[in-house]
């Protein structure tokens, strides 16, 4: 394209895959390598269609429930975690199962169990900060008996929730907005001074780092593009954080082919990030498409380095 106009790109870093996502993908790939296709995966292993389609090409078959899995098959549980009823059902049906739950989500499961205890006098009712219907929330609440956990989705619900009298604790989904969660926690601590919680909210390091990285570029941007799937909680939160941090506009785009190019009208500085379940290849794909239309000047603003690696679960390690 002749006479391409200049475009400044601010790349936020860290961005893209986190250790939990990387581990979950490796679980599926290793299961296929060891046992051959098909390997069944309950729910999307992570919330990204590009990742899901790549694994399908290797022999993964994605299902929503175990009743879609044939007897004696190999099945992987997604990174978001599952209720206790799911592995129990897998055992009942004699399925070979491998748990790809992110270790940081598993940590929240253990916190919930610790607060609940054995149901004795020290048992605490748990308030879970999170989004209704998200598989991580479903999995975490499913660690305990019905009624043991009450979901709180925002500060307004935190102001109104009326748990039964007695000791309380709170836990949080790992992929929430850091700022929104702090506001909700403040409301809960004000209303219930004795409530117990983690030393730090359960929002994972990767979510925290990616939000901080977006905040570092957003004030200088006419538009921020977050690459990620619409059903990805951490990707949606990045878009929200970008707008609140001062970007004139922020959009969530699954990949370059989905971008509405009219959004680029008048954009001189573009911020670019990716949710924790979006591969770096999609970022580079976006840059390639931008380079066809603009003369790019690219600057990366990296707020921290990440070196976290999670081992595969014992049956596959």
């Amino acid at each position: 394209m002749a006479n391409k106009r200049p475009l400044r790109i601010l790349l936020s870093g860290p961005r893209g895959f986190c250790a939990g996502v990387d581990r979950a993908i490796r679980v599926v790939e290793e299961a296929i390598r060891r046992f051959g296709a098909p390997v069944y995966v309950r729910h999307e292993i992570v919330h990204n269609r590009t990742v899901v389609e790549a694994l399908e090409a290797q022999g993964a078959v994605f299902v929503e429930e175990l009743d879609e899995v044939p007897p004696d098959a190999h099945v992987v549980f997604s990174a978001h975690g599952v209720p206790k009823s799911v592995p129990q059902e897998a055992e009942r049906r004699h399925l070979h199962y491998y748990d790809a739950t992110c270790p940081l989500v598993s940590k929240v499961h253990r916190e919930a169990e610790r607060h609940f205890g054995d149901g004795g006098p020290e048992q605490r009712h748990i308030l879970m900060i999170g989004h209704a219907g998200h598989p991580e929330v479903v999995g975490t609440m499913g660690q305990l008996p019905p009624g043991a956990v009450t979901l709180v989705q925002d500060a307004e619900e935190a102001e109104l929730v009326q748990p039964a009298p007695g000791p309380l604790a709170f836990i949080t989904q790992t992929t929430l907005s850091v700022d929104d969660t702090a506001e909700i926690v403040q409301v809960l601590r004000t209303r219930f001074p004795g409530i117990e919680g983690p030393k730090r909210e359960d929002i994972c390091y990767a979510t925290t780092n990616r939000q901080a990285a977006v905040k570092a570029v957003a004030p200088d941007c006419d538009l921020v593009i977050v690459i990620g799937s619409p059903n990805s909680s951490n990707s949606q939160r990045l878009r929200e954080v970008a707008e609140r941090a001062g970007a004139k506009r922020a959009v969530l785009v699954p990949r370059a082919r989905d971008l509405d190019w009219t959004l680029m009208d008048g954009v001189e500085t573009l911020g670019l990030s990716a949710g924790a379940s979006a591969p770096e290849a999609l970022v580079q794909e976006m840059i390639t498409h931008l380079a066809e239309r603009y003369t790019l000047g690219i600057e990366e603003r990296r707020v921290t380095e990440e070196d976290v690696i999670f081992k595969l679960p014992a049956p596959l390690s």
Side-chain angles (χ1 to χ4, degrees):
M1 187 181 296
N3 300 319
K4 294 188 289 187
R5 72 173 176 86
L7 177 67
R8 180 189 185 204
I9 294 181
L10 299 181
L11 274 177
S12 72
R15 63 184 174 275
F17 277 1
C18 63
V21 165
D22 179 70
R23 174 182 182 267
I25 294 168
R26 288 188 291 123
V27 168
V28 179
E29 292 177 333
E30 181 63 14
I32 294 170
R33 189 187 72 81
R34 290 200 187 192
F35 310 116
V39 166
Y40 292 83
V41 185
R42 184 187 178 277
H43 193 68
E44 289 187 347
I45 186 69
V46 297
H47 284 158
N48 187 274
R49 283 306 307 168
T50 301
V51 171
V52 167
E53 289 167 5
L55 292 173
E56 285 176 331
Q58 296 178 49
V61 176
F62 289 85
V63 300
E64 283 304 307
E65 297 298 342
L66 293 185
D67 58 12
E68 302 172 61
V69 179
D72 205 38
H74 296 269
V75 61
V76 176
F77 302 151
S78 80
H80 311 98
V82 296
K84 281 188 173 178
S85 59
V86 173
Q88 291 169 355
E89 173 67 6
E91 290 175 4
R92 187 188 70 79
R93 296 193 55 217
H94 305 291
L95 300 175
H96 310 280
Y97 68 88
Y98 312 94
D99 191 354
T101 302
C102 173
L104 298 179
V105 175
S106 296
K107 171 179 168 287
V108 180
H109 291 181
R110 303 293 83 78
E111 286 177 6
E113 291 176 326
R114 176 175 61 82
H115 289 307
F116 188 73
D118 59 4
E122 297 303 313
Q123 172 183 314
R124 292 178 178 270
H125 185 77
I126 297 167
L127 302 179
M128 179 166 192
I129 303 170
H131 298 294
H134 189 279
E136 181 185 331
V137 170
V138 173
T140 300
M141 294 180 70
Q143 301 304 302
L144 298 178
V149 184
T150 298
L151 185 63
V152 176
Q153 298 190 78
D154 53 34
E156 182 178 358
E157 289 189 7
E159 292 279 10
L160 297 174
V161 66
Q162 295 292 339
L168 290 175
F170 75 86
I171 56 176
T172 79
Q173 185 179 333
T174 63
T175 55
L176 300 176
S177 159
V178 173
D179 296 333
D180 286 351
T181 304
E183 179 185 4
I184 296 167
V185 169
Q186 183 57 50
V187 171
L188 294 178
R189 289 197 183 280
T190 299
R191 290 191 63 207
F192 311 108
I195 195 169
E196 271 201 18
K199 291 181 181 178
R200 296 180 60 185
E201 280 68 63
D202 297 312
I203 298 171
C204 78
Y205 79 93
T207 297
T208 301
N209 290 346
R210 278 149 191 74
Q211 290 180 19
V214 162
K215 288 179 181 179
V217 304
D220 297 325
C221 294
D222 302 304
L223 174 70
V224 171
I225 294 175
V226 176
I227 297 173
S229 294
N231 61 339
S232 166
S233 175
N234 74 82
S235 299
Q236 289 282 11
R237 303 295 81 74
L238 282 179
R239 184 196 63 75
E240 295 169 358
V241 166
E243 287 191 338
R244 292 178 185 175
K248 292 179 181 176
R249 188 168 186 180
V251 294
L252 181 65
V253 179
R255 58 187 308 174
R257 68 189 181 201
D258 302 306
L259 176 62
D260 176 359
W261 289 95
T262 63
L263 294 173
M264 294 297 298
D265 293 347
V267 173
E268 296 181 0
T269 301
L270 174 71
L272 193 54
S273 184
S277 50
E280 176 65 16
L282 296 184
V283 177
Q284 297 307 316
E285 176 188 79
M286 180 67 75
I287 291 172
T288 298
H289 279 67
L290 290 164
E292 294 172 356
R293 294 165 171 81
Y294 308 99
T295 299
L296 304 184
I298 301 176
E299 172 191 339
E300 182 175 38
R301 292 185 181 174
R302 182 166 287 272
V303 299
T304 189
E305 297 295 330
E306 294 177 347
D307 57 4
V308 179
I309 298 174
F310 293 134
K311 295 180 180 179
L312 295 181
L316 298 175
S317 58

